[in-house]
Amino acid sequence: MSIEILPGAMTLRKTPTSPAAGIGDLVTWTLAVNSTGLGSIKNVVVTDTLGAGLEFVSATPAGQAMGQTIVWSSSEIAALADIDPDDSVTLTLVA
């Protein structure tokens, strides 16, 4: 009998849509969760904390906003429950 274990791995990239924003401007970020390992990753939780002076406006898909912290999990987003190798899940945050 032989058992092969394929480890999962991931990267998370947060990219602003507009790097230069002024006071009162809305800022939008794209967060990309990429599965980079040989096996799938399961039950991923993404947490982002907004910096001082920012206020949460919206997220797509919706996450749970708790003050300055936004959390996305497989409870809200089924795609985070099981991400196959070379697949990704994209989240958008507006503050």
Side-chain angles (χ1 to χ4, degrees):
M1 180 164 107
S2 175
I3 297 175
E4 182 178 20
I5 298 175
L6 300 173
M10 64 166 279
T11 60
L12 175 63
R13 178 176 297 189
K14 182 178 179 182
T15 308
T17 57
S18 175
I23 295 173
D25 291 346
L26 290 179
V27 181
T28 302
W29 291 273
T30 299
L31 292 88
V33 180
N34 300 299
S35 178
T36 59
L38 300 174
S40 63
I41 53 176
K42 299 185 184 304
N43 300 319
V44 174
V45 176
V46 178
T47 302
D48 191 30
T49 302
L50 297 173
L54 294 172
E55 183 176 318
F56 174 77
V57 174
S58 66
T60 307
Q64 292 183 352
M66 298 167 274
Q68 292 294 95
T69 303
I70 299 84
V71 178
W72 295 268
S73 70
S74 58
S75 298
E76 296 86 31
I77 304 164
L80 293 175
D82 189 2
I83 307 173
D84 289 329
D86 297 322
D87 280 350
S88 64
V89 175
T90 300
L91 311 168
T92 302
L93 171 62
V94 180

